[in-house]
Short mmCIF file of all heavy atoms in Angstrom, two decimals:
data_model
loop_
_atom_site.label_atom_id
_atom_site.label_comp_id
_atom_site.label_asym_id
_atom_site.label_seq_id
_atom_site.Cartn_x
_atom_site.Cartn_y
_atom_site.Cartn_z
N PHE A 1 217.34 90.08 152.51
CA PHE A 1 217.86 89.44 151.41
C PHE A 1 219.30 89.04 151.36
O PHE A 1 220.10 89.66 151.97
CB PHE A 1 217.46 90.28 150.10
CG PHE A 1 216.06 90.71 149.99
CD1 PHE A 1 215.71 92.01 150.31
CD2 PHE A 1 215.09 89.76 149.65
CE1 PHE A 1 214.36 92.30 150.27
CE2 PHE A 1 213.84 90.15 149.49
CZ PHE A 1 213.27 91.42 149.83
N ALA A 2 219.59 87.97 150.69
CA ALA A 2 220.94 87.55 150.52
C ALA A 2 221.28 87.54 148.95
O ALA A 2 220.93 86.65 148.19
CB ALA A 2 221.16 86.07 150.97
N PRO A 3 221.89 88.71 148.54
CA PRO A 3 222.22 88.85 147.15
C PRO A 3 223.14 87.70 146.62
O PRO A 3 224.00 87.31 147.39
CB PRO A 3 222.97 90.17 146.99
CG PRO A 3 222.42 91.00 148.19
CD PRO A 3 222.22 89.91 149.35
N VAL A 4 222.88 87.21 145.41
CA VAL A 4 223.55 86.04 144.93
C VAL A 4 224.52 86.45 143.86
O VAL A 4 225.63 86.15 143.85
CB VAL A 4 222.56 85.02 144.36
CG1 VAL A 4 223.30 83.78 143.79
CG2 VAL A 4 221.59 84.59 145.46
N SER A 5 224.04 87.19 142.80
CA SER A 5 224.91 87.69 141.74
C SER A 5 224.14 88.72 140.90
O SER A 5 222.97 88.69 140.84
CB SER A 5 225.21 86.48 140.86
OG SER A 5 225.89 86.90 139.65
N THR A 6 224.91 89.64 140.32
CA THR A 6 224.39 90.49 139.30
C THR A 6 224.20 89.70 138.03
O THR A 6 224.73 88.68 137.84
CB THR A 6 225.36 91.64 138.94
OG1 THR A 6 226.59 91.18 138.56
CG2 THR A 6 225.59 92.52 140.24
N LEU A 7 223.26 90.20 137.19
CA LEU A 7 223.03 89.53 135.93
C LEU A 7 223.47 90.43 134.72
O LEU A 7 224.04 89.91 133.80
CB LEU A 7 221.48 89.35 135.77
CG LEU A 7 220.79 88.32 136.73
CD1 LEU A 7 219.35 88.24 136.39
CD2 LEU A 7 221.52 87.00 136.84
N GLY A 8 223.16 91.76 134.82
CA GLY A 8 223.61 92.58 133.73
C GLY A 8 223.30 94.01 134.05
O GLY A 8 222.55 94.43 134.98
N PHE A 9 223.88 94.93 133.23
CA PHE A 9 223.79 96.38 133.39
C PHE A 9 223.26 96.86 132.02
O PHE A 9 223.69 96.40 131.01
CB PHE A 9 225.08 97.03 133.72
CG PHE A 9 225.64 96.60 135.12
CD1 PHE A 9 226.04 95.35 135.32
CD2 PHE A 9 225.47 97.51 136.18
CE1 PHE A 9 226.39 94.94 136.64
CE2 PHE A 9 225.88 97.04 137.46
CZ PHE A 9 226.40 95.82 137.77
N PHE A 10 222.50 97.92 132.09
CA PHE A 10 222.07 98.55 130.84
C PHE A 10 222.01 100.05 130.86
O PHE A 10 221.80 100.64 132.03
CB PHE A 10 220.70 98.05 130.35
CG PHE A 10 219.63 97.71 131.37
CD1 PHE A 10 218.54 98.53 131.55
CD2 PHE A 10 219.76 96.52 132.18
CE1 PHE A 10 217.55 98.27 132.51
CE2 PHE A 10 218.82 96.26 133.10
CZ PHE A 10 217.70 97.14 133.27
N ASP A 11 222.16 100.71 129.68
CA ASP A 11 222.46 102.16 129.62
C ASP A 11 221.23 102.96 129.84
O ASP A 11 220.15 102.60 129.42
CB ASP A 11 223.10 102.41 128.34
CG ASP A 11 224.44 101.85 128.16
OD1 ASP A 11 225.35 102.26 129.06
OD2 ASP A 11 224.67 100.89 127.37
N ILE A 12 221.42 104.29 130.34
CA ILE A 12 220.54 105.21 130.37
C ILE A 12 220.99 106.29 129.43
O ILE A 12 222.30 106.44 129.31
CB ILE A 12 220.33 105.77 131.80
CG1 ILE A 12 219.73 104.66 132.75
CG2 ILE A 12 219.40 107.02 131.78
CD1 ILE A 12 219.68 105.15 134.19
N ALA A 13 220.19 106.92 128.78
CA ALA A 13 220.53 107.92 127.67
C ALA A 13 219.88 109.25 127.98
O ALA A 13 218.87 109.36 128.49
CB ALA A 13 220.30 107.44 126.32
N ILE A 14 220.57 110.29 127.50
CA ILE A 14 220.11 111.73 127.42
C ILE A 14 219.66 111.95 125.99
O ILE A 14 220.62 111.88 125.10
CB ILE A 14 221.08 112.70 127.95
CG1 ILE A 14 221.46 112.43 129.39
CG2 ILE A 14 220.55 114.13 127.90
CD1 ILE A 14 222.66 113.29 129.86
N LEU A 15 218.44 112.17 125.61
CA LEU A 15 217.98 112.18 124.34
C LEU A 15 217.32 113.58 123.97
O LEU A 15 216.84 114.25 124.85
CB LEU A 15 216.84 111.08 124.21
CG LEU A 15 217.15 109.76 124.47
CD1 LEU A 15 215.94 109.10 125.16
CD2 LEU A 15 217.52 108.94 123.27
N THR A 16 217.33 113.83 122.70
CA THR A 16 216.60 114.98 122.17
C THR A 16 215.87 114.57 120.89
O THR A 16 216.14 113.50 120.33
CB THR A 16 217.52 116.10 121.77
OG1 THR A 16 218.48 115.71 120.74
CG2 THR A 16 218.35 116.69 122.97
N PRO A 17 214.96 115.33 120.33
CA PRO A 17 214.37 115.02 119.00
C PRO A 17 215.48 115.09 117.96
O PRO A 17 216.47 115.77 118.20
CB PRO A 17 213.37 116.09 118.77
CG PRO A 17 213.09 116.62 120.15
CD PRO A 17 214.27 116.52 120.93
N ALA A 18 215.36 114.39 117.06
CA ALA A 18 216.43 114.35 115.89
C ALA A 18 216.68 115.70 115.35
O ALA A 18 217.79 116.14 114.88
CB ALA A 18 216.10 113.34 114.81
N ASP A 19 215.63 116.53 115.31
CA ASP A 19 215.71 117.87 114.62
C ASP A 19 216.01 118.96 115.66
O ASP A 19 215.96 120.11 115.41
CB ASP A 19 214.48 118.25 113.88
CG ASP A 19 213.22 118.20 114.76
OD1 ASP A 19 213.42 117.93 115.94
OD2 ASP A 19 212.16 118.51 114.17
N SER A 20 216.48 118.57 116.87
CA SER A 20 216.71 119.52 117.93
C SER A 20 217.93 120.44 117.59
O SER A 20 218.83 119.99 116.92
CB SER A 20 217.09 118.86 119.21
OG SER A 20 217.53 119.75 120.22
N LYS A 21 217.91 121.60 118.07
CA LYS A 21 219.02 122.53 117.80
C LYS A 21 220.27 122.07 118.69
O LYS A 21 221.41 122.50 118.52
CB LYS A 21 218.70 123.92 118.21
CG LYS A 21 218.39 124.16 119.73
CD LYS A 21 218.06 125.62 119.92
CE LYS A 21 217.58 125.88 121.36
NZ LYS A 21 217.23 127.27 121.60
N PHE A 22 220.03 121.22 119.71
CA PHE A 22 221.14 120.68 120.52
C PHE A 22 221.72 119.47 119.88
O PHE A 22 221.11 118.44 119.88
CB PHE A 22 220.65 120.42 121.99
CG PHE A 22 219.91 121.60 122.56
CD1 PHE A 22 218.58 121.48 122.96
CD2 PHE A 22 220.58 122.71 122.87
CE1 PHE A 22 217.91 122.48 123.69
CE2 PHE A 22 220.00 123.75 123.44
CZ PHE A 22 218.58 123.73 123.82
N LYS A 23 222.88 119.57 119.41
CA LYS A 23 223.64 118.45 118.74
C LYS A 23 224.55 117.72 119.71
O LYS A 23 224.89 116.54 119.39
CB LYS A 23 224.39 118.98 117.52
CG LYS A 23 223.60 119.77 116.54
CD LYS A 23 222.63 118.85 115.83
CE LYS A 23 221.95 119.52 114.61
NZ LYS A 23 221.16 120.71 115.00
N THR A 24 224.99 118.34 120.81
CA THR A 24 225.83 117.73 121.85
C THR A 24 225.32 118.04 123.17
O THR A 24 224.49 118.97 123.33
CB THR A 24 227.26 118.19 121.62
OG1 THR A 24 227.34 119.59 122.07
CG2 THR A 24 227.80 118.02 120.25
N LEU A 25 225.72 117.22 124.18
CA LEU A 25 225.37 117.51 125.54
C LEU A 25 225.99 118.83 126.04
O LEU A 25 225.33 119.61 126.83
CB LEU A 25 225.87 116.43 126.47
CG LEU A 25 225.49 116.49 127.85
CD1 LEU A 25 224.04 116.50 128.14
CD2 LEU A 25 226.16 115.30 128.75
N ALA A 26 227.17 119.21 125.47
CA ALA A 26 227.74 120.50 125.85
C ALA A 26 226.79 121.66 125.43
O ALA A 26 226.68 122.68 126.19
CB ALA A 26 229.10 120.63 125.25
N GLU A 27 226.25 121.57 124.28
CA GLU A 27 225.31 122.61 123.76
C GLU A 27 224.02 122.66 124.72
O GLU A 27 223.63 123.79 125.04
CB GLU A 27 224.91 122.37 122.40
CG GLU A 27 226.08 122.54 121.35
CD GLU A 27 225.60 122.19 119.94
OE1 GLU A 27 224.51 121.78 119.67
OE2 GLU A 27 226.49 122.24 119.07
N LEU A 28 223.53 121.54 125.14
CA LEU A 28 222.40 121.48 125.96
C LEU A 28 222.68 122.14 127.28
O LEU A 28 221.95 122.81 127.84
CB LEU A 28 221.94 120.02 126.17
CG LEU A 28 220.68 119.82 126.96
CD1 LEU A 28 219.39 120.11 126.16
CD2 LEU A 28 220.56 118.42 127.46
N LEU A 29 223.96 121.76 127.86
CA LEU A 29 224.25 122.35 129.13
C LEU A 29 224.56 123.80 129.04
O LEU A 29 224.17 124.48 130.03
CB LEU A 29 225.49 121.62 129.64
CG LEU A 29 225.48 120.10 130.14
CD1 LEU A 29 226.81 119.53 130.33
CD2 LEU A 29 224.60 120.21 131.40
N ALA A 30 225.09 124.23 128.03
CA ALA A 30 225.35 125.70 127.82
C ALA A 30 224.05 126.55 127.82
O ALA A 30 223.89 127.50 128.42
CB ALA A 30 226.13 126.04 126.60
N PHE A 31 223.06 125.95 127.12
CA PHE A 31 221.65 126.61 127.06
C PHE A 31 221.08 126.63 128.43
O PHE A 31 220.55 127.59 128.88
CB PHE A 31 220.73 125.93 126.10
CG PHE A 31 219.44 126.48 126.06
CD1 PHE A 31 219.10 127.59 125.28
CD2 PHE A 31 218.43 126.02 126.87
CE1 PHE A 31 217.81 128.02 125.23
CE2 PHE A 31 217.11 126.48 126.82
CZ PHE A 31 216.90 127.50 126.04
N ALA A 32 221.15 125.46 129.21
CA ALA A 32 220.54 125.40 130.41
C ALA A 32 221.17 126.31 131.48
O ALA A 32 220.48 126.96 132.34
CB ALA A 32 220.67 123.93 130.94
N LYS A 33 222.47 126.49 131.33
CA LYS A 33 223.14 127.46 132.38
C LYS A 33 222.88 128.89 132.01
O LYS A 33 222.79 129.73 132.89
CB LYS A 33 224.60 127.20 132.30
CG LYS A 33 225.03 125.83 132.94
CD LYS A 33 226.59 125.54 132.74
CE LYS A 33 226.77 124.19 133.47
NZ LYS A 33 228.35 123.88 133.38
N ALA A 34 222.64 129.14 130.66
CA ALA A 34 222.41 130.52 130.25
C ALA A 34 220.94 130.96 130.41
O ALA A 34 220.64 132.11 130.44
CB ALA A 34 222.95 130.79 128.82
N ASN A 35 220.10 129.93 130.55
CA ASN A 35 218.69 130.13 130.65
C ASN A 35 217.97 129.34 131.76
O ASN A 35 217.34 128.37 131.57
CB ASN A 35 217.92 129.81 129.31
CG ASN A 35 218.46 130.55 128.08
OD1 ASN A 35 218.09 131.73 127.80
ND2 ASN A 35 219.54 129.96 127.50
N PRO A 36 218.31 129.74 132.93
CA PRO A 36 217.72 128.99 134.12
C PRO A 36 216.16 128.84 134.15
O PRO A 36 215.46 129.80 133.85
CB PRO A 36 218.03 129.92 135.28
CG PRO A 36 219.25 130.84 134.83
CD PRO A 36 218.98 130.92 133.45
N GLY A 37 215.78 127.64 134.32
CA GLY A 37 214.34 127.34 134.39
C GLY A 37 213.63 127.17 133.06
O GLY A 37 212.42 126.85 133.04
N LYS A 38 214.41 127.33 131.90
CA LYS A 38 213.68 127.21 130.72
C LYS A 38 213.90 125.98 129.88
O LYS A 38 213.17 125.76 128.89
CB LYS A 38 214.25 128.43 129.69
CG LYS A 38 213.86 129.77 130.23
CD LYS A 38 214.20 130.81 129.26
CE LYS A 38 213.67 132.23 129.76
NZ LYS A 38 214.07 133.29 128.81
#
């Protein structure tokens, strides 16, 4: 293939339910590190 040009980029998100106890990514990471595999 001979690439010609990019067209656009779009975001990927880390999501939780709106009523989740995790309000920030830091809280999610803290739980994951304290509870391996859970």
Side-chain angles (χ1 to χ4, degrees):
F1 301 106
V4 180
S5 174
T6 57
L7 300 181
F9 294 74
F10 39 105
D11 293 294
I12 296 172
I14 301 170
L15 304 144
T16 61
D19 58 358
S20 170
K21 64 181 179 181
F22 305 118
K23 303 295 190 295
T24 66
L25 183 58
E27 292 177 0
L28 184 78
L29 288 170
F31 177 86
K33 290 177 179 179
N35 300 274
K38 292 188 178 180

